[in-house]
Amino acid sequence: MENFIPLSIPNFEGNEKRYVNDAIMQGWVSTGGSYIEKLEKQLADFLKTDDVAACQSGTAALHLSLIDAGVGSGDVVIVPPLTFIAAVNPVKYQLAVPVFIDCDDSLCMDPQKLQCFCEKECSFENGRLTYRERPVKAIIVVHVFGNMADMELIMDTAARYGLKVIEDATEALGTYCLTGKFKGYYAGTIGDYGAFSFNGNKIITTGGGGAVTAKKKKNVEHIRYLSTQAKDDKQYYIHHEVGYNYRMTNLQAALGVAQMEKLPEFIRRKQKNYERYKELFDEFLLADLMEFREDIYSNKWFYSLKINKEKVKASMKYIIEVLQQEGIQTRAIWGLINEQKPYKGEDTYSLEKAPYYFSRVLNIPCSTQLTENEIVYVAERIKRVLWNLTDET
Ligand SMILES: *Cc1c(COP(=O)(O)O)cnc(C)c1O
């Protein structure tokens, strides 16, 4: 279609081709090569953390974090219901048991409900938290759409009950706290572990790829070791643990090094485009552009429109189809994970906001290449389409 505006596409305006070509010319395309370490160094410097291990995907980053955190069969992991399912699937890989806790208006985990769950639904004896006879080991906190969960309260609760915190910062590379105890700390560097993703639609991409950081350098080193088949020796095949083929390749890393050079620019554009949408949807009665928390610097990765369902009677599916015909790609927010087939029957706690936002949030185009004209076009069409779906017309 002419003038089709996609939801989110990668941006390769920098040195991507040069570096990938260089990696090919050097013959280093697989899990060895200088771009991998270069990317790890870039990420560590950017995030102001000691060490980062690059891996195959955000999912692998989360899986390796859970393994290193000692989460195993029958353990309970506290997770969010309203996010991409990859944040929770690694809990199942470890044969552990998820319990879903509600989000707040930031779309991230509600810290008060987390605290209540630990206090009222679990028992705490000899420094160990148990839920229905099972040990509670960890919390996976997702920083949804580049927003940030209230880490201060979450870390307090985790410390009180001896839980590991795994930050899913796959959508929040570049987001950091502006105030409070963690002022200046980047999303992913506050908890015990932080996972990042460089999938095609993330703020930077390596095609597919991810990274892990951890509060302690030795955990990052162990994760890097696990990701390279737990090889103890470069020459001889000696292994002391079950490893994984989760290491990032040099080809991916070459892309990543070029993308990291552009990250500050990508964030600036995401923020600028968000502000423009904000003006255009100001005082619009049928939908609000959702805000990011004020006490953070957000990468503003993804934009969420909250549809006023009391006025707009059409289904989300219908709205998306009409907009598609207008040349605008939009997307409904994720279906609740606890309602997906592999998770039916798992325990939930106090889910109110998650179903509320599930039925109202529409994600709108947010690529870094968006032009002023495109942003105006998107906003005007969305407004017109929604007006046409009210009773008042
Ligand atoms: C993208 C994403 C992941 C998974 O990352 P991949 O690199 O695609 O494996 C996990 N959690 C969330 C919230 C994501 O958005």
Side-chain angles (χ1 to χ4, degrees):
M1 193 193 292
E2 215 185 328
N3 289 331
F4 182 74
I5 302 172
L7 184 67
S8 171
I9 52 167
N11 183 327
F12 299 127
E13 293 170 2
N15 287 317
E16 289 79 8
K17 282 186 191 148
R18 236 182 78 206
Y19 295 166
V20 171
N21 205 38
D22 182 46
I24 294 171
M25 295 301 281
Q26 290 177 13
W28 289 97
V29 295
S30 194
T31 54
S34 60
Y35 282 105
I36 304 171
E37 279 130 54
K38 213 165 169 179
L39 177 61
E40 290 180 334
K41 174 88 174 46
Q42 266 176 320
L43 284 164
D45 289 349
F46 179 86
L47 295 168
K48 298 191 214 144
T49 182
D50 283 347
D51 199 6
V52 173
C55 62
Q56 281 290 343
S57 67
T59 312
L62 290 159
H63 189 196
L64 291 166
S65 300
L66 284 174
I67 296 166
D68 191 71
V71 170
S73 181
D75 292 338
V76 170
V77 180
I78 298 169
V79 298
L82 184 61
T83 190
F84 185 46
I85 199 163
V88 182
N89 280 339
V91 174
K92 289 270 183 188
Y93 303 164
Q94 289 306 99
L95 306 177
V97 181
V99 177
F100 295 90
I101 290 199
D102 205 16
C103 61
D104 60 18
D105 294 312
S106 71
L107 301 182
C108 305
M109 186 174 284
D110 184 324
Q112 257 90 32
K113 285 186 177 174
L114 170 69
Q115 168 62 26
C116 282
F117 171 79
C118 294
E119 201 178 302
K120 306 212 168 98
E121 304 294 320
C122 302
S123 60
F124 189 57
E125 275 166 41
N126 304 322
R128 284 165 188 270
L129 192 69
T130 54
Y131 174 70
R132 302 197 163 167
E133 320 283 304
R134 297 178 186 280
V136 185
K137 285 279 180 70
I139 311 167
I140 296 177
V141 179
V142 181
H143 301 305
V144 177
F145 296 148
N147 211 348
M148 205 165 168
D150 186 336
M151 288 306 288
E152 222 170 298
L153 287 174
I154 290 172
M155 292 306 288
D156 277 353
T157 301
R160 188 168 314 138
Y161 296 108
L163 307 175
K164 295 271 193 241
V165 174
I166 295 156
E167 290 182 79
D168 178 335
T170 52
E171 304 182 355
L173 178 62
T175 295
Y176 63 85
C177 294
L178 289 172
T179 61
K181 187 176 168 190
F182 298 116
K183 182 176 173 183
Y185 280 66
Y186 279 88
T189 66
I190 298 169
D192 298 280
Y193 302 88
F196 298 88
S197 166
F198 314 125
N199 196 9
N201 68 349
K202 299 300 203 282
I203 196 149
I204 66 163
T205 185
T206 59
V212 192
T213 188
K215 204 177 271 172
K216 298 197 185 102
K217 192 172 163 64
K218 72 174 199 321
N219 295 102
V220 181
E221 282 163 359
H222 184 234
I223 280 172
R224 190 179 287 111
Y225 164 79
L226 289 175
S227 79
T228 48
Q229 306 282 22
K231 209 186 299 155
D232 284 84
D233 189 290
K234 281 212 166 85
Q235 298 258 356
Y236 304 96
Y237 290 89
I238 312 289
H239 308 266
H240 293 295
E241 280 186 71
V242 174
Y244 298 80
N245 185 9
Y246 276 173
R247 184 73 168 152
M248 182 180 272
T249 68
N250 202 45
L251 272 185
Q252 292 169 313
L255 259 182
V257 169
Q259 290 270 290
M260 275 305 286
E261 292 171 355
K262 298 288 281 188
L263 177 59
E265 168 67 13
F266 291 165
I267 294 174
R268 272 196 295 277
R269 290 200 209 172
K270 291 268 187 190
Q271 291 173 337
K272 182 166 156 272
N273 294 343
Y274 173 83
E275 293 309 325
R276 191 68 186 105
Y277 274 129
K278 193 86 194 140
E279 289 166 9
L280 292 163
F281 283 108
D282 190 35
E283 307 209 340
F284 179 54
L285 294 175
L286 304 180
D288 295 308
L289 190 65
M290 289 181 68
E291 313 247 354
F292 294 87
R293 282 174 48 154
E294 272 178 12
D295 54 355
I296 62 161
Y297 175 92
S298 168
N299 71 2
K300 299 206 162 84
W301 172 63
F302 240 57
Y303 310 149
S304 309
L305 211 53
K306 191 182 116 195
I307 308 285
N308 183 336
K309 285 231 315 189
E310 285 62 48
K311 294 212 165 73
V312 179
K313 298 297 178 194
S315 71
M316 200 58 95
K317 187 161 179 281
Y318 186 75
I319 296 170
I320 291 168
E321 277 169 17
V322 174
L323 287 169
Q324 182 81 21
Q325 282 158 21
E326 302 265 348
I328 299 168
Q329 186 185 21
T330 56
R331 201 182 63 189
I333 198 171
W334 312 279
L336 300 181
I337 299 174
N338 55 295
E339 290 178 4
Q340 310 296 321
K341 198 171 165 194
Y343 292 96
K344 282 219 170 106
E346 302 290 7
D347 286 359
T348 62
Y349 181 68
S350 190
L351 301 194
E352 294 154 323
K353 298 262 175 170
Y356 173 87
Y357 285 107
F358 158 69
S359 62
R360 284 168 178 77
V361 172
L362 180 74
N363 290 121
I364 62 174
C366 63
S367 307
T368 49
Q369 299 93 330
L370 280 176
T371 62
E372 162 70 14
N373 284 347
E374 287 172 329
I375 293 171
V376 171
Y377 176 84
V378 168
E380 283 181 351
R381 286 304 155 110
I382 290 176
K383 285 191 200 172
R384 206 172 71 195
V385 164
L386 294 182
W387 275 122
N388 287 339
L389 294 172
T390 60
D391 294 337
E392 281 135 74
T393 49

